[in-house]
Each structure stands twice: as C-alpha cells, then as structure tokens.
Amino acid sequence: MVQSNGNKEYYIGVDVGGTKILAGVFTKSLECVETTKVRTKAYRGKTAVIDRIKKCIFDVADEADIDLKYVRAIGIGAPGAVDSENGVIIFAPNLGWENVPLKKELEDLISIPTFIGNDCNVNTLGVYEVELHKKPKILLGIYLGTGIGGGLIIDGRLYTGFSRTACEVGHIVLDINGPRCSCGKNGCFEAFASRKAILNSIVEAVKNGSKTVMTEWLGDNLGEMRSRDLRKALKKGDQLVKKIIKNAAVYTGIAVANLINVLNPQVVVLGGGIIEALEDDMMPTILETVNNNAFPGSLKGVDIIATKLGDFAGINGAAVLAKNCINNSCV
Amino acid sequence: MVQSNGNKEYYIGVDVGGTKILAGVFTKSLECVETTKVRTKAYRGKTAVIDRIKKCIFDVADEADIDLKYVRAIGIGAPGAVDSENGVIIFAPNLGWENVPLKKELEDLISIPTFIGNDCNVNTLGVYEVELHKKPKILLGIYLGTGIGGGLIIDGRLYTGFSRTACEVGHIVLDINGPRCSCGKNGCFEAFASRKAILNSIVEAVKNGSKTVMTEWLGDNLGEMRSRDLRKALKKGDQLVKKIIKNAAVYTGIAVANLINVLNPQVVVLGGGIIEALEDDMMPTILETVNNNAFPGSLKGVDIIATKLGDFAGINGAAVLAKNCINNSCV
C-alpha cells in the first residue's frame, strides 16, 4: 500500500511469539496500513531470531512502501518476564532466552528507537487504545494460549507492579491439589485452561481409555495440536473434548471471579488463541461461573468480553507502546 | 491528657467493629494522644450503635481534654462494603446494616466533617502512614479476623477499583472443592483461615472424635472463642489446634503468593486478630508457603511482615483518612 498522504510519521508494532513473528506498520493515528508474518524458528538460536525480527520489520516497511527513516519508533511485545525499562527479556522459556538485551540489539541493527513490553501487557494496551472506544477506568486483560498471562491498565496506564512482573494471572493457584503446572506448582489457572493443559488432559484421558477424534487426526500424543483443532472436534460432537473444554471454562470463570474480587475492574477482556477459537463454546460457561463466584458488588456494571482483535491485539499494542514511549509517556 | 501545645488542630479516628468501637484523638502530625473504647452492642439496632459511636467520640475528646471545635475532621473505618465517596455503609453483615448513610447521620449529630472507609482499607492506610517509615511503592494489607479482608495502596493512594469494592481478598477461591464460605461459595481463602473457619474446623473435628483443651475451656461449640484462646491452646501443646492453625497458615501462604503473582507489591503486611495472636506460630509457615508458590521474579525484594500496630491500625488509618479527605486529597 502506498503512502496515502503526506503525513510521514509511522510506528511499527511487532509481536514476537514462540512460533511466529507478526509485524504491522501504523500511522500516527494508529491505523494499521500493512502487516507481515515470518516464522520464529526459535531452534536456530537467539541471533538468528533477532535477525528474523529485523527481517520482519524491513519486510513490513517494504510491503507498506514506507522508508524506515519515517518510522519514529518500534514497539515489541515479547513473551515471558520482560524488564521494559531497560528493554531486556529476563526469561522467555518459549524462546529459550535469558537476559537478552533485545532493545539494544535491535537498535544497534536498525537505528530506530525500540521499546519492549511483555506480550500480555502489550495486548491489553492494544485492546485499550484500539478496540475500546469508551476507555474503561480499569481494564484487565486475560490471554489463554500456550500459557496464560494478563495485563492491567489503571487510569490509562499499564500497572506493572514493584519489579515489573505484575499480572502473572496464569499462576494463581485455584486448587492446591490440582494438576502439576509447568512452573512447578500444583493447580495453577494455567494448569487447567491453557492449550498445554487442555492437550495434557486429552492425552491423559486417551491413555485411560477415552476416545476422541483428535487422535485420528494428530496421533495419540496430539503432536502439534492447535486451538482450531479443538473447535473442529467440538463441531464433530466429540464428547471428551467437550467435557475438557467445559472444565477449562469453569476454571477460567473461577480465575476471572477471583481477579474481579481483588481488582474490581470495569472491563475484563479475554483473548489468546484458545478464546479466539472457542469463544462461542467457552464464554457462556465462563460468564455463568463468574456470576456464581464473584461478589455481586464487585461484579456490578463490569463488562466481560472477548477481544475481536485476535492475533492483531499484539501488534496494535506494540505500536501504542512505541508511540507512548517515544512521546515520553512510557507505560 | 492535656493539650501539650498551642497547636489546636486535631483529628479523631474511629474503628467500628462488630464487637467494639475504638476511637483515638490525633494531632495534626498524627500522634495519638488518647484512646477510648466502648462495646458496639449491634443487637440494639442501628440508631443505638450510631449513638454509641457519637458517645465514643465525645468520650475520647473529653479524656484528651480537647474541645470538639478543634477537631477538623473525623474518620471512620467500618466493616463490609462501604461507598466512601458518599459515606454510606452499603452492606455490613457484622452490624446487620444495609445502606446506612453513616457520614450524614454523624455529621447531623456532631457537626464535624466525617469520612468513612472500609476497615481493611483504613487499616492499610494506618500501616502506610504511621508504621512504615520508608513508604513502599505498592503496599498490600491482608487482615485475618472474624473474616478476611484487604487493602491496597499504590503510589500513596488507596486503590479501590471501579465501584470501590476492590481487595476482597478473603473471597478468592483457593480450592473449588473446599469448605463452604459464609459468602455462599466453596473454598474461599476466608473459609480456610478466618477465625470463623478455624472455629468451624475445631468444632467439626471434635464432633468426629478429636480432643482439644479448647472444649474444656469453652464448651463443645466453643462459644465465644477468641484468637488469644488459640494461642493459649498452642502453648499447652494442643495437637488438634496445632494442625488446624498450620493448615490455615498454608492457605494464607497460597493466598499471599497468588496476590503477589497478580499485584507484585513491594510490601505485604499481615494483620488482624488471628495474626496478632498467632504471629509467631503462623508466620514461618506462611513465609515458607509463599516462597514455594510465588514466582521468584515477583517475590524478589518483597517484604512480608506482620503489623505491629495491632488493634490501633484502624484508628490510625481513620485519622489519616480524616486528614487526607479534609485537605482535599481524599483517598
């Protein structure tokens, strides 16, 4: 797409995930004019992945017909623990990274000011700035994907806590006797309702003799199961998948109710691959469980919605991060 | 105590509980010069209780030898759901109150500007302003008494949420299959670690044949069990009470870890009658459980302490509320 006006101020938002890197070019009014996607290929190692982020940024600028000199800033949403002040990825198990100074490395490669945030925080920024026209006083975002994370915006600013690790909502314990979580604890929200937890539950049930169409498609260990495979199985009337997704929705409802009781947000937005694929199947159970478990006073007037931005929440939010930070109101 | 200087500016802080009303006179530098206590006698009804609050305020001013005309404002910490903006007690089961415009009723009786807050919020204000000399960026207060509640201060201001009901930390579900809570749900934090939950656990165990010194002192249904009776039983080496208090401490640790993972506070302060009486017995287990269940990144540099203000946190915080609100920086 060619530049549609003489307004030469752009931002690039990048969502770095464990499987793909998505980048978008945004105008200064945060309209997305072009997107590009490449695979992450994390197995090639850190330097290769950083080169692929650079490639994705150059590609999206090229596709949008803009010169990088008109890009004021780049924003990056990255998984795991992120020190956004210094632009360092502290720990990102999906990428196999520890203490990677991503801001510095990209600025050395591209010479454009770059700002880094946790992907769930950045997603929430995207929903707040781009999707919600009436800005809520307090917005809580919860994202169910491979893992589960969250973001919180209070009075227009990201709440990141004392050491910038707030909103690890996937690791609130919902049942001390529950299944083992990847973090080493038992019964975390993530151990009930992430894609990984759902996959484990299906594999376990199959081992114990249950039947599902999923194994016909993907083999007994479900290999590369995606969220959309779950939706396909539900459409086929698969009873095992139905039961496991229902259970995940109940625990999601409990977690949302807990968070409403503590944070009393105005809007709760749910997103991530699991919600994007299974919104129609999960939301009624989630809402019913929240209604049964949140304090009526805390729930009054609260909207609980699924984001419509899907995969694009991340690049939108990353563009917001870039614009805010370069204008000295860094979140 | 007579006025020690010519500085005629005072605040009165009042803590209204289900069993007693405590009031304190404070100088403008928030030094407490006198306190007075009366029983609440909630069974006499709303009007009688409001008269007793008035009596307690008059008594404490009299004891302190100050004329009420030098009291700039009164602050009240009250249990339950409080609309602090309008000074209305929305719902306080311990008092049997619903929609009581306490601010207006007291101002009509006493003609001094009066401000009302939730007791756990007010306690946290007291700890922040009076106990902690180095002010934390984010302070989370958790109070274990008859019930369990909390308060959160971010950058010096109380966080009360969208509809001013935030920090209902007693009603985060820790085990969906856990014991019934007074709120109607199962497995809330309050159903594991409040005085009421501990009492229920002991009574239940006795019914099932367990022995405890508590029943010798208080009868089989433990009648008016107080937190200090639990401490006495532990000192006697009572094994049943030891086991039940240990269990309460483990669940408290899980709840604190959950809240640290979500809020990433700088300081967590524990208080309330249970902690005041059982600090030495419970804190080691609480700290160990938090260490095992909070994210290392979120826990780094976080102090978890028990307040030393005891019963006085409430009146200190209520005086802070009064001073802040009359100076137009109402929390």
Side-chain angles (χ1 to χ4, degrees), chain B residues 80-234:
Chain B
V82 175
D83 172 355
S84 50
E85 201 158 6
N86 298 301
V88 175
I89 313 287
I90 300 167
F91 181 54
N94 286 344
L95 298 172
W97 287 10
E98 251 180 87
N99 291 315
V100 174
L102 186 60
K103 174 187 172 71
K104 189 182 175 305
E105 301 221 8
L106 284 170
E107 286 179 347
D108 286 352
L109 285 172
I110 312 183
S111 302
I112 296 174
T114 299
F115 304 94
I116 321 280
N118 165 275
D119 52 359
C120 293
N121 283 346
V122 164
N123 281 352
T124 309
L125 261 189
V127 170
Y128 181 85
E129 289 290 349
V130 179
E131 184 173 5
L132 302 179
H133 297 296
K134 202 177 155 206
K135 305 302 173 201
K137 185 176 157 57
I138 302 164
L139 171 66
L140 172 65
I142 303 174
Y143 306 93
L144 282 64
T146 311
I148 293 178
L152 177 65
I153 293 179
I154 302 173
D155 293 329
R157 293 182 72 83
L158 264 176
Y159 174 86
T160 55
F162 166 55
S163 47
R164 299 182 168 267
T165 65
C167 253
E168 280 289 0
V169 299
H171 300 283
I172 53 177
V173 174
L174 300 180
D175 179 359
I176 198 175
N177 302 309
R180 194 83 172 168
C181 183
S182 60
C183 75
K185 294 181 290 168
N186 288 324
C188 292
F189 174 25
E190 183 167 304
F192 288 108
S194 64
R195 181 165 44 238
K196 212 165 172 177
I198 291 168
L199 184 148
N200 289 345
S201 297
I202 299 173
V203 170
E204 191 68 23
V206 168
K207 269 190 201 156
N208 293 328
S210 295
K211 299 283 177 206
T212 164
V213 292
M214 305 281 286
T215 50
E216 293 167 25
W217 303 335
L218 301 162
D220 273 5
N221 69 1
L222 300 186
E224 300 267 294
M225 183 195 83
R226 297 193 176 186
S227 303
R228 58 174 179 255
D229 296 318
L230 295 167
R231 187 178 47 195
K232 267 171 62 190
L234 290 178

Side-chain angles (χ1 to χ4, degrees), chain A residues 18 28 37 39 63 82 105 114 131-132 134 140 172-173 176-177 188 210 219 248 258 293-294 305 319 322:
Chain A
K28 70 174 176 182
K37 182 163 70 174
R39 290 195 174 273
E63 291 293 328
V82 175
E105 300 221 8
T114 299
E131 184 173 6
L132 303 178
K134 202 177 155 206
L140 172 65
I172 52 176
V173 174
I176 196 175
N177 303 308
C188 291
S210 294
N258 281 356
N293 285 278
I305 57 173

